[in-house]
Amino acid sequence: MSDVFADLVGQDEAVVELRRAAAAAAAVLRAGATDRASALVAAGPTDGARSASAGGTDPSAGMTHAWIFTGPPGSGRSVAARAFAAALQCVHGTGCGACPGCHTTMGGTHADVRMVVPEGLSIGVGEMRALVLRAASTPSGGRWQVVIIEDADRLTEAAGNALLKAIEEPPPRTVFLLCAPSTHPDDISVTIRSRCRVVPLRQPPATAVAEVLVRRDGIAPDVAQWAAAAAQGHVGRARRLARDPEARKRREAVLAVPRRLTGVGAAFDAASALIEAAEAEAEASVTEADTSERAALETALGAGGTGRGAAGAMRGAAGQLKELEKRQKSRATRAQRDALDRALVDLAGFYRDALTMALRAPVAPVHTDTAALAGAGAQKWDAEGSLRRLEAVLACRAAIEANVKPRIAVEAMMLALWKG
Ligand SMILES: [Zn+2]
């Protein structure tokens, strides 16, 4: 069986560092240092466990209690965090992939590994306080308490402060693993950043993505290669494109946009189509979860009860249902933005192809299936016109990120793409 780092595609340097840290962490446990907090926190060369495990005085070789995994979407930030968590819980201290520690962590059932996956637009302070409190308890498995925070860039300011407190005074056996697009202050506060070791992940090369699709998912090599290139280094998206005909259809519709822009009316139509497609995709992804959550909550609250106290119970229930609806609405908004952003990334790839062709740059196109169309665009628009269009797509992404209403941003983009 392959070990826990096998699915971390194209991240050799990060894997080397994480393996070394896991070995150092195992050495700390073996040494049974009476003061484990200093064993992890202090970076001094006098620390016995650290120098023994690192075989020297290089502090970066050892273990530390707070980490940030950065990298573009799909590069495997949460995959890396989970694999590292498994290596910390591994009975061999290596992330063998076969022992109960590895197995339960990778399966998401390890009692000492908590994963925070924000469903809405941000992680709130209440959630973070509860998490920090539980993370301070002694690990039941005798190794480490690991807290993984996916999308740490979505922490509210108050939640970030609650987390910072825990990172500043870490419980001796607690390890925080944060995932964020970058260490830019917009994503992670400078003070949290200064307390963490950063593991930068890169956009994995298409060949590495294709290789894992073939090996792990049994996808045919030619399909895997096409999907890996089209997904621009996003492993999850590549898998979806290779396996899901609906995802392929949505991508084709997006890539048909440049040909459809024949006038002002067509530009507005294309904007509507893009927004509606993103809404439909988002709705398909959240409706099922919404319905089952509501049914579960209603059952738990005993909806339909007529006995004594039922009226009082229903008043409380109304509050809980309202809270659930609020959370679901926030999740739906996020899903819509994510779907729209994927479409914009595809579209940006098309104009990037046109630009590289206009410049005669010796690089492979992102979208091999629309390369001819991009080539025609390159002739018509030249490098400058292609670049302006690419910039219009990127400006649209930035505007939506900055909370401009998606429809307004997309309409402005479509007009810019048409006018050039
Ligand atoms: Zn193991």
Side-chain angles (χ1 to χ4, degrees), residues 104-129:
T104 50
T105 305
M106 296 304 273
T109 57
H110 196 294
D112 298 331
V113 179
R114 295 200 171 74
M115 196 140 184
V116 185
V117 186
E119 291 193 326
L121 290 174
S122 61
I123 307 174
V125 64
E127 195 180 348
M128 184 53 65
R129 284 205 184 115

Side-chain angles (χ1 to χ4, degrees), residues 216-219 223 227 238-248:
R216 188 185 53 195
D217 303 312
I219 289 161
V223 177
R239 188 178 313 125
R240 214 169 312 124
L241 281 176
R243 299 177 119 174
D244 179 5
E246 287 298 314
R248 280 201 291 274

Side-chain angles (χ1 to χ4, degrees), residues 226-227 229-231 237 241 245-257 343 346 366-370:
W226 165 80
R237 169 113 175 106
L241 281 176
E246 287 298 314
R248 280 201 291 274
K249 235 189 274 171
R250 281 193 293 267
R251 172 180 168 277
E252 275 163 29
V254 168
L255 291 177
V257 162
D346 280 345
V366 169
H367 302 298
T368 46
D369 44 356
T370 53

Side-chain angles (χ1 to χ4, degrees), residues 253 257 260-261 263-279 340 343-344 347 396 400 405-417:
V257 162
R260 289 175 48 189
L261 295 174
V264 178
F268 280 103
D269 286 349
S272 287
L274 200 65
I275 296 279
E276 279 153 25
E279 281 171 0
L340 186 56
L344 293 173
L347 205 53
C396 178
I400 292 171
K405 214 163 167 277
R407 181 173 291 273
I408 292 173
V410 171
E411 283 174 353
M413 174 192 76
M414 291 294 184
L415 287 173
L417 292 179

Side-chain angles (χ1 to χ4, degrees), residues 122-385:
S122 61
I123 307 174
V125 64
E127 195 180 348
M128 184 53 65
R129 284 205 184 115
L131 191 79
V132 163
L133 205 63
R134 279 188 303 170
S137 60
T138 308
S140 61
R143 297 187 72 86
W144 306 96
Q145 282 281 8
V146 183
V147 178
I148 301 175
I149 303 172
E150 269 196 42
D151 300 317
D153 54 307
R154 291 181 196 168
L155 290 171
T156 61
E157 199 184 335
N161 288 338
L163 175 66
L164 176 63
K165 245 181 167 170
I167 290 181
E168 278 178 336
E169 292 160 34
R173 294 276 202 103
T174 305
V175 179
F176 291 94
L177 307 179
L178 280 54
C179 306
S182 76
T183 54
H184 189 278
D186 282 353
D187 288 339
I188 289 285
S189 80
V190 177
T191 39
I192 290 183
R193 155 79 188 81
S194 69
R195 302 275 174 173
C196 296
R197 192 178 305 169
V198 179
V199 181
L201 302 176
R202 58 194 185 120
Q203 181 171 315
T207 47
V209 176
E211 189 270 325
V212 80
L213 293 185
V214 172
R215 174 174 55 79
R216 188 185 53 195
D217 303 312
I219 289 161
D222 55 333
V223 177
Q225 263 158 32
W226 165 80
Q232 304 179 62
H234 193 305
V235 184
R237 169 113 175 106
R239 188 178 313 125
R240 214 169 312 124
L241 281 176
R243 299 177 119 174
D244 179 5
E246 287 298 314
R248 280 201 291 274
K249 235 189 274 171
R250 281 193 293 267
R251 172 180 168 277
E252 275 163 29
V254 168
L255 291 177
V257 162
R259 258 198 307 257
R260 289 175 48 189
L261 295 174
T262 51
V264 178
F268 280 103
D269 286 349
S272 287
L274 200 65
I275 296 279
E276 279 153 25
E279 281 171 0
E281 183 182 343
E283 195 173 322
S285 72
V286 299
T287 300
E288 204 178 316
D290 283 1
T291 313
S292 59
E293 273 175 7
R294 194 185 172 95
L297 182 59
E298 281 176 348
T299 307
L301 296 170
T306 51
R308 287 180 64 185
M314 282 315 288
R315 277 196 296 278
Q320 290 195 40
L321 278 173
K322 213 168 157 195
E323 183 59 32
L324 177 68
E325 278 165 9
K326 203 173 105 192
R327 237 183 317 132
Q328 290 181 338
K329 191 159 177 274
S330 167
R331 177 170 63 193
T333 307
R334 184 80 232 172
Q336 268 177 34
R337 283 198 195 179
D338 288 348
L340 186 56
D341 197 58
R342 269 196 297 281
L344 293 173
V345 169
D346 280 345
L347 205 53
F350 176 87
Y351 291 106
R352 174 254 188 214
D353 287 346
L355 176 62
T356 55
M357 286 177 201
L359 293 170
R360 297 191 184 2
V363 291
V366 169
H367 302 298
T368 46
D369 44 356
T370 53
L373 201 64
Q379 286 206 325
K380 202 162 90 188
W381 307 321
D382 215 343
E384 259 180 58

